Each structure stands twice: as structure tokens, then as C-alpha cells.
Amino acid sequence: MRMFSFGIRHLQLLLVVTVSGSLLTSPPAVVAGDVVLSRVDRRVDLTSHVVRTTSTLTVKNEGGGPVSNILLAFPEHEAKNIGYLSLLHIKGVGRTQGPSVNLPFQLVNPEGAPPALTFYSVSLPKELSDEETITLETLAVFTHVLKPFPEEITQDKYQLVLFQENSYFFSPYAVKTQTLSIKLPDARIESYTKLESTKLHGSEIKYGPYQDVASFSYSPIYIHFENNHPFAIAERLVREIEISHWGNVQITEHYNIIHAGAHLKGEFSRLDFQSSPHTKGASAFNRLIAKLPPRAHSVYYRDEIGNISTSNLRSDLKKTELEIEPRYPMLGGWRTAFTIGYGLPLKDFLFEAGEKRFLNISFGSPVYELVIDDLIVKVVLPEGSSEISASVPFPVNQWHEKKLSHLDIAGRPVVVLEKEKAIPEHNQHFQIYYKFENLSLLREPLMLVFGFFVLFVACVVYMHADITISKSSASYLAKLQWDEVQTAVQQLQSIINHCLAVLDKLEASLQDLSRSGNVQASKATRKSADVLLKDLFKDFKPLLLSLQTSPQAAQLLPKVEELVTKVRDLHERMLSKHTIVVDSYERKVGWREIENRIAPHQQRITVLRQEIDYLLEFVDEI
């Protein structure tokens, strides 16, 4: 505990030195007129990971001429994290309070202002005369301000965060009376800065009132407290809104989300998380709530793997609520990516204004309390749209693209709007104006009709056209000649295979002779084989003649003639071998002597069989 307390004090000291070094210089002379803030009431909401500061300012002109605008100042460490800023003019007090009016403001750089300060100039609804007062209300929303401390925790620890604030309202004007109220998620507070007039009431810390505070006063306070709210940050969100004049607005949203809280230290146990999710993973979140428009339909939720079934959809006449559950609980530092999509009725969001149409739809994400570092909204208009313009209630980056889809010719125009540090307050309606001729709606149906018509005509032409090759053409004659060559070669192969089968039968008769000693049977087999082979050889002549007269067989003919010659040679060798064996066996010659006599013939027979097999394979390939 001592080491932890030392870490807090050390961090606070470092922040004080850093911030004070940039702010505690002589106040710059950036204010014109004798303007003071007679009262400032600030309320800071820390119940989520988005910090919202609401300030009620009573501005008084104490003389020196009329004032038409005032300045708001922010230190550098606050200005870089501002996600949203609004200013209202409050008319009346209490029951007589009238409607509030939004005041315009712009970023300015007053002469002599230090670079560590950021100034906004607020235009008042009317000039403030001497001794006149006006009541303003400002809302400043900050992102990435709550810092996890410690930065890593185990699964069974609660998440603690550190918040830094100025106990005084940082302003270029003197403040006569001011108060500060800080609302926390609950009463579990590790430590907080105690100053004069500091009170703790449950989960709320109050500072002040403080009297007669000079301009640019700075007195840092630090609050170290427990905050297990889901620190859901979308590093990038691409939101595509596609308009179809056939009655639908299709919205597709691609999320890349990270849990920006304290990172998980050590291993994660799903068993512990499921048995005690409030203690064994209190800072994790396993669901997000998206509030969709009332008549949303065809809702889906998927990621790269496929559809995710762990989601619930509830709808009524006022809203449609989608409960999104990731595939795994999100702990600090963990990431996930998914896509949700849904359709909306066109008539609820598309309207006409004179000759133009305009889309009126919300800008930000429907997911509750989601901070988006980079939000890109793409509005895909129908092909043929022209005179396109966008009206957004806050500054955005804007450019145009093209998107090609089915039945498109030139592509659909796309209006791209980009906003950094988008928060729920940016989920306001914006408008896209464009011109679109009603006749353009007939383009795609006519293209389909024309396409089917062309296909039908092509089928009719194909069925009635004679596309056969002319019988007098050279290509047709060459095809006929090649067919004749193939037929002749196939017949030759059949005859050769028959001859080889007869020779195999002749070889088998010699094996029967060695077993039975029946010489007469062997002679009869040789005689019948010789007669059959001579008849087969007679069939070679007309086939070879047809190949010799065909120009298509020029490449094939030499190999075929060689094949026939070797078959004839094999026939003669087999007959000679058979005669020698039978005659020698009849004269009672021993088998060893017989083998010596037929050895030359056997060697030649083996070579011939290999050559014949090779030539047959060659002819088959051709």
C-alpha cells in the first residue's frame, strides 16, 4: 500500500510540474473591456469513460464599452481531448426561464496568447452593454481523459482510474464566485485532493464556493476512484448509408473496437468469469447496446468468421434495440471487429425541398456511450444524382467518391464525411441534398428488359441458323481424312493386339509341353497359330495402303510401318523358337541344351516385345 500511495503522489507531483510550467506564466493581455464572471457553477460527470463538464456562467460587463463576444480558454492537455463543445444562451431564471439558444463560436488565436492555451471566441446574441449581465451554459465533452492507474490489473481486480482537473474555472476573466461538483460512478474512492471548502457526499465531491479568483488561476486536483464502466473505443468505424429509391435505406456499419481500460495482467479464466462476472472480470464487458430507428428491419450481426447468433433484438413503436454480444468477453487491451447492418423505410428519411431531395438521418453510431477515434460516414446516392451538397451541424472533413454496383454504368456518387473523436453528442441529424430525375428510376428495369430481349433474340438466331461447316471446305475435308486415318490406325492396333495374343498362346504351349510332354499337341498349336497369323497379316495390306495415300498420315505412317515390320519379325522368331524346342524335346535333348539353342531367339524376342510396346504407346498418343 505504501508503494502504491507513493506512486500516486509521484504522478501527481509530475503532473503539477508539467501543467504549471506551461500555465503559471504572466496572464496574457487577450481580453478587451471590463468583463467579469460574477458566478460560475461547474458540474463534472465521471460516471462513464466519457467526461462531461457542464458550466453555467453569469457574464457581466462592468464598463469600458459594449462587448459582442467573449473568450473561452482551455489548457493544452484538455484542448487536445475535446470531443464536443456547445454553448447556450439561457433566457430567464427558474420558472421564467425561456428556450435556450445555441451560440456560434470559432477557434481563435489572440495576440500575445501562449501556445499552451486554446481559445474559442463566442458570439453573444446581442451586444452586452455596461452593467448588463447574460447567462451562458457550456458543455465540454472530453475523451481519453480518464487514465487507468494502475495500467495493468489481474482478472480479479477492480479498475481504478485517475482524473485531473482544475479546482478553479480556467478563464481569461476574473471570477467572483464559483463552485465545482464532481459526480462519480459510486462512493468507492481511493483518494482525492482535499482543499479548503471540500465536501464528500456519497459519490459526489464538491469544491467551493471560492470568492474573487483571478484570471488564469490554476489549482490542480486529482481523484483516484473505481470505474468499471466499459471503456469501449472504436478505433475506426465506417458507416455506409445506401439510398435506393425503390423504398429502402440500407445501413452497414463496420466496427473495430478496443477495450481502452486497464490491460489484463496474467491469464484469463473463462470459468471464473462465468461463475463470478462481477468480481472475476468486473471491468470487462460482454455486450453493447445499439439503439436503432423504430422501423429497422433485416438486422444482421456478423464478423469475419460468419454470423454471430449471440445477439438479441427488441423493438416497439418508439425504438429498435439491438443487444450485441461479442464472441468473447472484452477485457482491457482486447480487440474485436464486427459488422452490423439493417434496412430502414425510405419514406421516413427522404424528403423533398423544391426541386431537390434530401436525406435526413443521424450521423453517429447507435451504440450507447461509444467513443469513435475515426468515424467515416459514406452516403451512397442513386446513379444519376447531381448538385450534391451536405449540411452537417458540426465541422467534418468531406470529399466525394464513386461506387460501382450491379447494373451501374458510370457509378453511384458517394459523399464521404469524416469526423475524429466522435461521441454520442455527435449523433445528430444531418442532411444530404441532391437532384434526381424520376425517369432515372426506369434505367435499371429497362436495362434488364433490353438484356433479356437480346438474350432471347440470340437464342432464336442460334436455333434457326445453320452453323455447320461446309462439306466442300478444306477444313471439313481435312477433318474427314483425319477421321479415316484414326479408323485405320485403330483397326491396325486391334489386329496387332490379336497377333500378340496368338503369340502368347504359342508361348504357353511350350510351357504345357514341359509339363505334359505332349509333342503332338504342341505341333498342332503351332500349325493353327501359323495359319491364323498369316490370315491376320493379309489384313495389314489394305490398311497400310490407305495410310500411304492419305496426307494426314504423313507423320504417323513411318511408325506404323515399323510397328508392322516388327510384329512380322516377332512372328518368325516365335515360330523358330517353337520349332527348335519341340524338335529337340522329340529327340530327347536335355532342357539345358534346349535353352542354349533358343537363347539367341529369346533375346531377340524380348527386344522386339519392348519395341512393339513402345510403338503402340506412341501411336496411341498421336
Side-chain angles (χ1 to χ4, degrees):
M1 181 61 70
R2 289 181 179 177
M3 292 180 63
F4 186 73
S5 300
F6 172 77
I8 291 289
R9 290 196 299 270
H10 180 71
L11 179 60
Q12 291 178 353
L13 179 60
L14 178 61
L15 290 173
V16 168
V17 172
T18 303
V19 175
S20 301
S22 60
L23 298 180
L24 298 182
T25 58
S26 59
V30 297
V31 181
D34 295 328
V35 176
V36 297
L37 303 180
S38 57
R39 185 173 182 86
V40 175
D41 295 311
R42 284 189 296 154
R43 299 170 298 281
V44 181
D45 185 359
L46 302 181
T47 55
S48 71
H49 68 301
V50 180
V51 177
R52 294 175 171 88
T53 301
T54 305
S55 303
T56 302
L57 315 177
T58 302
V59 184
K60 182 178 181 181
N61 183 4
E62 292 191 337
V67 177
S68 59
N69 47 51
I70 64 170
L71 295 177
L72 292 180
F74 292 92
E76 183 180 13
H77 68 281
E78 290 184 359
K80 68 180 181 181
N81 291 317
I82 292 180
Y84 180 80
L85 180 63
S86 70
L87 295 105
L88 299 175
H89 171 216
I90 301 177
K91 298 180 181 180
V93 180
R95 294 183 179 180
T96 62
Q97 181 174 331
S100 301
V101 179
N102 281 299
L103 300 180
F105 61 91
Q106 61 180 345
L107 186 66
V108 294
N109 186 19
E111 185 178 354
L117 299 180
T118 300
F119 289 89
Y120 291 92
S121 177
V122 183
S123 299
L124 300 178
K126 64 176 183 176
E127 287 188 346
L128 197 63
S129 304
D130 293 349
E131 301 300 325
E132 190 176 359
T133 63
I134 187 173
T135 302
L136 308 178
E137 184 174 276
T138 69
L139 172 63
V141 184
F142 302 92
T143 63
H144 304 284
V145 169
L146 298 181
K147 303 298 181 183
F149 193 83
E151 296 180 352
E152 293 184 350
I153 57 174
T154 55
Q155 184 179 344
D156 59 345
K157 299 295 183 182
Y158 293 100
Q159 178 174 266
L160 300 176
V161 297
L162 188 65
F163 173 67
Q164 171 198 351
E165 180 59 284
N166 185 3
S167 61
Y168 301 135
F169 181 67
F170 193 78
S171 171
Y173 310 104
V175 182
K176 292 186 177 181
T177 303
Q178 62 176 297
T179 61
L180 171 62
S181 174
I182 300 176
K183 178 64 176 177
L184 304 175
D186 49 50
R188 287 174 287 199
I189 305 173
E190 289 289 310
S191 63
Y192 64 96
T193 302
K194 297 179 182 180
L195 302 175
E196 183 182 357
S197 301
T198 302
K199 298 178 182 179
L200 174 62
H201 298 283
S203 61
E204 187 174 12
I205 305 175
K206 294 184 177 181
Y207 291 89
Y210 301 113
Q211 307 294 332
D212 299 323
V213 180
S215 61
F216 296 105
S217 294
Y218 185 80
S219 175
I221 58 174
Y222 301 91
I223 305 175
H224 191 218
F225 62 99
E226 182 180 318
N227 187 342
N228 293 310
H229 188 277
F231 276 44
I233 304 291
E235 296 179 318
R236 182 179 174 86
L237 167 58
V238 179
R239 192 165 185 256
E240 185 176 272
I241 304 171
E242 186 169 353
I243 300 175
S244 171
H245 280 192
W246 295 100
N248 188 60
V249 177
Q250 182 63 37
I251 297 182
T252 308
E253 300 173 351
H254 305 278
Y255 290 84
N256 287 298
I257 289 182
I258 182 175
H259 188 317
H263 288 206
L264 175 66
K265 182 179 181 181
E267 297 181 351
F268 168 70
S269 171
R270 181 176 285 273
L271 178 61
D272 292 343
F273 179 81
Q274 291 179 340
S275 60
S276 303
H278 298 293
T279 57
K280 303 294 185 179
S283 63
F285 65 89
N286 59 355
R287 68 173 184 171
L288 297 169
I289 302 297
K291 295 183 178 180
L292 309 180
R295 296 204 289 169
H297 60 85
S298 306
V299 182
Y300 64 86
Y301 165 45
R302 63 170 181 252
D303 59 8
E304 293 181 351
I305 300 175
N307 186 58
I308 304 176
S309 59
T310 55
S311 60
N312 295 306
L313 184 67
R314 295 180 291 271
S315 61
D316 54 35
L317 295 177
K318 296 182 178 181
K319 66 180 184 305
T320 300
E321 191 172 86
L322 175 63
E323 183 179 306
I324 301 169
E325 292 189 18
R327 294 186 182 273
Y328 45 85
M330 293 289 294
L331 283 90
W334 289 16
R335 301 172 184 269
T336 186
F338 59 86
T339 299
I340 64 174
Y342 50 94
L344 300 172
L346 181 67
K347 64 180 182 180
D348 292 352
F349 300 93
L350 190 67
F351 307 94
E352 293 187 1
E355 296 182 353
K356 285 191 173 184
R357 308 166 191 253
F358 69 93
L359 175 75
N360 185 42
I361 199 167
S362 58
F363 183 83
S365 168
V367 178
Y368 176 72
E369 285 296 277
L370 180 67
V371 174
I372 308 167
D373 288 341
D374 187 18
L375 170 61
I376 296 178
V377 178
K378 297 184 177 182
V379 181
V380 184
L381 301 175
E383 188 177 25
S385 301
S386 60
E387 298 185 24
I388 302 168
S389 61
S391 175
V392 188
F394 40 80
V396 295
N397 297 324
Q398 178 180 339
W399 66 90
H400 294 263
E401 295 178 350
K402 288 283 187 180
K403 178 182 179 181
L404 283 172
S405 184
H406 53 276
L407 300 179
D408 286 343
I409 299 175
R412 305 184 184 188
V414 181
V415 181
V416 184
L417 307 173
E418 183 181 25
K419 177 66 178 176
E420 295 181 352
K421 291 184 290 188
I423 55 176
E425 279 74 8
H426 289 122
N427 201 7
Q428 304 176 27
H429 281 74
F430 72 103
Q431 296 77 38
I432 300 293
Y433 294 86
Y434 64 98
K435 272 189 175 182
F436 184 78
E437 298 295 336
N438 289 329
L439 289 177
S440 299
L441 284 172
L442 300 177
R443 179 184 301 174
E444 293 183 358
L446 289 177
M447 289 177 62
L448 287 174
V449 171
F450 180 74
F452 280 112
F453 176 75
V454 171
L455 179 62
F456 174 76
V457 171
C459 291
V460 171
V461 172
Y462 175 77
M463 295 297 295
H464 290 79
D466 184 10
I467 58 174
T468 57
I469 301 175
S470 174
K471 295 182 179 180
S472 61
S473 64
S475 59
Y476 181 76
L477 294 176
K479 183 178 181 302
L480 288 180
Q481 292 175 358
W482 179 247
D483 291 341
E484 292 175 357
V485 170
Q486 285 184 316
T487 302
V489 171
Q490 291 173 357
Q491 292 177 358
L492 278 170
Q493 287 177 314
S494 177
I495 295 172
I496 290 172
N497 289 330
H498 195 179
C499 292
L500 295 177
V502 172
L503 293 176
D504 290 340
K505 187 176 180 180
L506 190 63
E507 180 71 23
S509 68
L510 295 179
Q511 297 178 359
D512 294 340
L513 177 64
S514 64
R515 290 194 300 269
S516 64
N518 191 344
V519 176
Q520 296 303 323
S522 297
K523 290 182 177 181
T525 301
R526 181 178 64 196
K527 184 176 180 181
S528 63
D530 187 36
V531 174
L532 181 58
L533 288 172
K534 287 180 179 179
D535 292 339
L536 292 174
F537 289 158
K538 292 179 182 179
D539 296 335
F540 280 144
K541 187 173 181 181
L543 296 175
L544 289 173
L545 184 61
S546 66
L547 292 177
Q548 291 170 355
T549 57
S550 175
Q552 297 291 332
Q555 180 183 1
L556 191 61
L557 182 60
K559 295 295 183 180
V560 173
E561 290 177 341
E562 183 181 0
L563 178 60
V564 172
T565 301
K566 291 187 180 298
V567 171
R568 291 179 183 275
D569 191 8
L570 179 62
H571 169 229
E572 294 175 359
R573 292 286 182 175
M574 286 293 297
L575 287 180
S576 299
K577 173 185 173 182
H578 193 278
T579 301
I580 293 172
V581 171
V582 172
D583 292 346
S584 300
Y585 188 83
E586 193 174 16
R587 295 189 184 116
K588 308 297 182 181
V589 178
W591 279 106
R592 184 175 298 276
E593 181 63 24
I594 294 175
E595 290 177 355
N596 291 334
R597 292 180 181 180
I598 65 174
H601 296 283
Q602 185 61 44
Q603 292 177 359
R604 181 59 182 164
I605 289 171
T606 302
V607 172
L608 287 172
R609 288 303 293 259
Q610 293 176 351
E611 292 176 347
I612 290 170
D613 290 341
Y614 167 75
L615 291 171
L616 285 173
E617 291 179 0
F618 178 80
V619 172
D620 282 339
E621 291 178 359
I622 294 180

